[in-house]
C-alpha cells in the first residue's frame, strides 16, 4: 500500500511538472536582454522625472522605441543618454535641459501674515484646511513638502522670505517637487542659454486690486507685458500673466513694463544705464544790423554839390 501511494504521488507530480512546463512555455514573456543593460547605466534614482515608473520602465521604453527622440533621463542627462544610445545602436535625442522654478514672490514684507497655523507642518494638510497664513490663498505655504520630496537636496525653504528656492546646480528636473506642491506654484521650465530665463513669479488669479492688497508683488493682470512682447509669448488668463518659454526670446521688454515687479529675470548681466542726454545748444539769433545814422554835417556837403550842379 505504501509503495502504491508513493508511485501514485510520483506520477501525479510528474504529470503536474509536465503541465507547468508546457504552461510556462506557452505563456512565456520574452524580455529583451538589452533592458537590463540599459538599466545598469541608469543612475537608479527611480525619481519618475523621465515620465516612466522608475528606471526599469524607462529602460524598457528606450528599448521598444524606434528612436530616442523625446526620451531623457533628467538625472543622468546627456552622458547617460549617450551610453544608452551606444547600447541600443540609436542616436540620442536632443532635449534642452529643464529646471524647476517657484512661481511665488510673496515675501514676508510683500505678503504679511494675518493669522497663525498650529497644525501639522505639511503643505498638503494645511492647504485642505485653509488658504494660508496670509491673505493670498495662492502663494507658497512654506512647510517644505517639496523639500522632503526632492532626492537631490535641490530645494529649500528660505527662512527670511518663507518661500521655497531651487538650487539650479543640483536640480535634475525630476518633477518630484512639482507633484508635491499642492498650490501648483512649482513648474519645470527650459533652463535657457547660460541659465537665463524669464517667468512670471505669481499664480494669483484674483482681480488686480484684490491681488495687490494681498501681496505687493502680485501680478495684477494689467496686460502691459502682453502688449509689450513682440513675440506673442505672453498671455493673460484669469487675471494672471504667463510666459511661454517656447516662444520667449529673452528680450526682457516685459520686465521693464511690469508695474509690480512680478516678472523675474535670472542670470542676466546688469542692464546698461542710459547715458544722460547732452543739453541742447541754444540757437543764437544774429543781432539786428544797426544802420549808421547820417549826421547833418555829412549831408551838408552833398547838398552843396547838388546846388553847384544845378547852377552850372
Amino acid at each position: 500500500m505504501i509503495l502504491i501511494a508513493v508511485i501514485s504521488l510520483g506520477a501525479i507530480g510528474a504529470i503536474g511538472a509536465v503541465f507547468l512546463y508546457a504552461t510556462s512555455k506557452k505563456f512565456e514573456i520574452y524580455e529583451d536582454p538589452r533592458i537590463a543593460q540599459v538599466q545598469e547605466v541608469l543612475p537608479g534614482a527611480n525619481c519618475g522625472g523621465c515620465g516612466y515608473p522608475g528606471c526599469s520602465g524607462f529602460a524598457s521604453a528606450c528599448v521598444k522605441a524606434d528612436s530616442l527622440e523625446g526620451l531623457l533621463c533628467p538625472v543622468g542627462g546627456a552622458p547617460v543618454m549617450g551610453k544608452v544610445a551606444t547600447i541600443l545602436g540609436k542616436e540620442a535625442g536632443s532635449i534642452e535641459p529643464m529646471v524647476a522654478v517657484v512661481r511665488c514672490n510673496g515675501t514676508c514684507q510683500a505678503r504679511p501674515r494675518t493669522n497663525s497655523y498650529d497644525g501639522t507642518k505639511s503643505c498638503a494638510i494645511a492647504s485642505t484646511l485653509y488658504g494660508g497664513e496670509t491673505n493670498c490663498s495662492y502663494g507658497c505655504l512654506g512647510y517644505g513638502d517639496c523639500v522632503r520630496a526632492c532626492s537631490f537636496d535641490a530645494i529649500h525653504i528660505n527662512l527670511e522670505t518663507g518661500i521655497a528656492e531651487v538650487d539650479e546646480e543640483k536640480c535634475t528636473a525630476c518633477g518630484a517637487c512639482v507633484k508635491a506642491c499642492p498650490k501648483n506654484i512649482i513648474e519645470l521650465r527650459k533652463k535657457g542659454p547660460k541659465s537665463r530665463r524669464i517667468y512670471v513669479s505669481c499664480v494669483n488669479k484674483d482681480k488686480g486690486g484684490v491681488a495687490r492688497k494681498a501681496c505687493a508683488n502680485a501680478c495684477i493682470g494689467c496686460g502691459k507685458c502682453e502688449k509689450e512682447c513682440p513675440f506673442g509669448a505672453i498671455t493673460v488668463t484669469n487675471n494672471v500673466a504667463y510666459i511661454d518659454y517656447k516662444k520667449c526670446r529673452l528680450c526682457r521688454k516685459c520686465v521693464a513694463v511690469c508695474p509690480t515687479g512680478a516678472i523675474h529675470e535670472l542670470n542676466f548681466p546688469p542692464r546698461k544705464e542710459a547715458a544722460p542726454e547732452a543739453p541742447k545748444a541754444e540757437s543764437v539769433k544774429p543781432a539786428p544790423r544797426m544802420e549808421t545814422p547820417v549826421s547833418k554835417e555829412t549831408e551838408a556837403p552833398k547838398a552843396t554839390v547838388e546846388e553847384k550842379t544845378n547852377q552850372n
Side-chain angles (χ1 to χ4, degrees):
M1 295 295 292
I2 296 175
L3 182 61
I4 293 174
V6 171
I7 293 174
S8 300
L9 290 174
I12 294 172
I15 294 172
V18 172
F19 177 75
L20 291 175
Y21 177 77
T23 304
S24 65
K25 286 297 183 182
K26 183 176 181 180
F27 297 102
E28 180 182 10
I29 299 175
Y30 172 77
E31 184 175 283
D32 196 319
R34 296 179 298 172
I35 295 177
Q37 296 176 12
V38 172
Q39 192 171 352
E40 287 181 1
V41 301
L42 295 176
N46 294 315
C47 59
C50 57
Y52 295 91
C55 294
S56 61
F58 180 69
S60 178
C62 290
V63 172
K64 294 177 181 179
D66 295 331
S67 68
L68 297 179
E69 191 69 32
L71 294 171
L72 175 68
C73 172
V75 179
V80 167
M81 292 308 299
K83 295 178 182 179
V84 173
T86 302
I87 294 171
L88 302 179
K90 303 175 182 178
E91 292 185 4
S94 56
I95 299 180
E96 296 190 51
M98 308 286 283
V99 67
V101 296
V102 179
R103 296 184 59 203
C104 178
N105 193 30
T107 60
C108 297
Q109 292 77 16
R111 186 178 54 143
R113 289 186 177 183
T114 56
N115 58 83
S116 180
Y117 173 70
D118 295 329
T120 304
K121 300 300 181 182
S122 167
C123 298
I125 295 174
S127 64
T128 60
L129 299 176
Y130 80 136
E133 295 182 325
T134 68
N135 289 329
C136 177
S137 59
Y138 297 90
C140 178
L141 293 171
Y143 298 134
D145 285 19
C146 54
V147 178
R148 290 185 286 273
C150 182
S151 302
F152 308 99
D153 193 37
I155 188 167
H156 298 92
I157 302 297
N158 187 318
L159 298 179
E160 294 183 359
T161 62
I163 302 174
E165 293 182 352
V166 176
D167 184 346
E168 62 182 58
E169 298 298 327
K170 295 181 180 179
C171 180
T172 59
C174 68
C177 58
V178 178
K179 298 174 184 177
C181 180
K183 294 292 187 178
N184 298 318
I185 63 172
I186 304 179
E187 177 191 11
L188 293 181
R189 296 183 68 87
K190 184 172 65 174
K191 199 169 186 178
K194 299 181 180 180
S195 295
R196 296 174 182 175
R197 51 194 175 276
I198 300 174
Y199 62 95
V200 180
S201 185
C202 183
V203 296
N204 194 325
K205 296 180 177 61
D206 291 332
K207 291 185 178 180
V210 178
R212 188 65 183 272
K213 188 176 180 180
C215 177
N217 297 334
C219 174
I220 57 176
C222 63
K224 290 183 178 180
C225 54
E226 184 178 16
K227 295 176 183 178
E228 188 70 18
C229 181
F231 308 105
I234 304 178
T235 54
V236 178
T237 307
N238 294 328
N239 303 314
V240 64
Y242 180 78
I243 299 177
D244 186 350
Y245 62 82
K246 295 179 181 178
K247 297 180 180 179
C248 179
R249 296 294 180 268
L250 306 177
C251 67
R252 296 195 287 173
K253 291 183 178 180
C254 57
V255 180
V257 299
C258 180
T260 63
I263 302 179
H264 283 196
E265 51 179 348
L266 296 182
N267 303 319
F268 283 88
R271 292 177 179 269
K272 295 181 180 179
E273 295 184 1
E277 296 183 1
K280 296 181 180 180
E282 295 183 359
S283 57
V284 180
K285 295 182 179 180
R289 291 183 61 184
M290 300 295 294
E291 295 183 1
T292 306
V294 181
S295 60
K296 294 181 180 180
E297 296 179 355
T298 309
E299 291 179 355
K302 288 183 179 180
T304 308
V305 173
E306 290 177 0
E307 290 177 359
K308 289 181 179 180
T309 305
N310 294 331
Q311 293 175 359
N312 295 330

